[in-house]
Amino acid sequence: MGGSGKSSLSIVQALAMATGKPVLGEEVTRPRNVLLINLEDNRAAMDKRIFAAMKHYSLKQADLGGRLIIKAKGEIKIKIAKADGRGVKRTEEQIKSHIDVALANKIDVVSIDPFVKTHGVNENDNNQIQAVVECYDDIAEGANCAVHLW
């Protein structure tokens, strides 16, 4: 449900993983390379939200070590799959592009917020949603990374 804090949590989790610091009280085994994609907030809003979270948790830019890559609304468009009347049509070029970006940047975790904006299928159709999730499974396997869908 919107307005419940998912985007804020996605930012703080990305900061925890990128810094390797247990800012949420959970152990982080080591710093990770994170690609944080937010399809609702523009760059200015994302920068403000990240700055506020870093200030709250006493994190410095140096703590990130270049391990956090951010893509905001307007910088990236994702439609990984869509319904086409006969089922679900995958967008293979986008799947390949995500794999290529993750491999090129040695990404450990791709975090995408919100999942609903990345596809064009009926969210009440379990088979269609499963087909979309399989696209992200292929990205995770192809890039040897985790994919976190919000």
Side-chain angles (χ1 to χ4, degrees):
M1 175 179 288
S4 62
K6 293 183 301 292
S7 295
S8 295
L9 183 58
S10 73
I11 289 168
V12 175
Q13 284 187 349
L15 290 171
M17 289 183 283
T19 63
K21 296 179 184 268
V23 297
L24 293 171
E26 296 180 19
E27 179 184 354
V28 182
T29 57
R30 68 174 173 82
R32 308 279 177 177
N33 292 327
V34 179
L35 173 57
L36 176 62
I37 300 171
N38 184 296
L39 301 170
E40 292 186 321
D41 295 325
N42 64 26
R43 171 57 68 168
M46 283 299 292
D47 288 347
K48 288 176 187 175
R49 295 181 81 174
I50 291 167
F51 177 79
M54 290 179 70
K55 183 176 180 181
H56 179 78
Y57 291 104
S58 301
L59 298 172
K60 306 289 182 229
Q61 194 67 32
D63 294 329
L64 292 172
R67 291 179 294 273
L68 179 61
I69 298 171
I70 301 148
K71 293 292 180 187
K73 178 182 177 181
E75 298 174 349
I76 187 170
K77 291 187 187 229
I78 302 172
K79 280 293 183 228
I80 208 82
K82 60 185 174 182
D84 71 354
R86 295 184 310 247
V88 175
K89 181 169 175 33
R90 295 164 50 107
T91 311
E92 296 297 339
E93 57 275 3
Q94 282 199 12
I95 294 168
K96 182 180 181 328
S97 175
H98 286 294
I99 292 169
D100 292 346
V101 167
L103 289 171
N105 292 285
K106 298 182 173 120
I107 297 297
D108 297 303
V109 180
V110 176
S111 179
I112 302 174
D113 175 31
F115 170 66
V116 68
K117 290 199 175 197
T118 70
H119 63 79
V121 307
N122 179 351
E123 288 210 330
N124 292 315
D125 184 319
N126 289 337
N127 291 326
Q128 288 187 5
I129 287 297
Q130 180 59 39
V132 175
V133 169
E134 287 172 5
C135 295
Y136 287 107
D137 284 344
D138 290 348
I139 292 168
E141 289 179 19
N144 192 31
C145 68
V147 175
H148 192 175
L149 302 171
W150 293 87

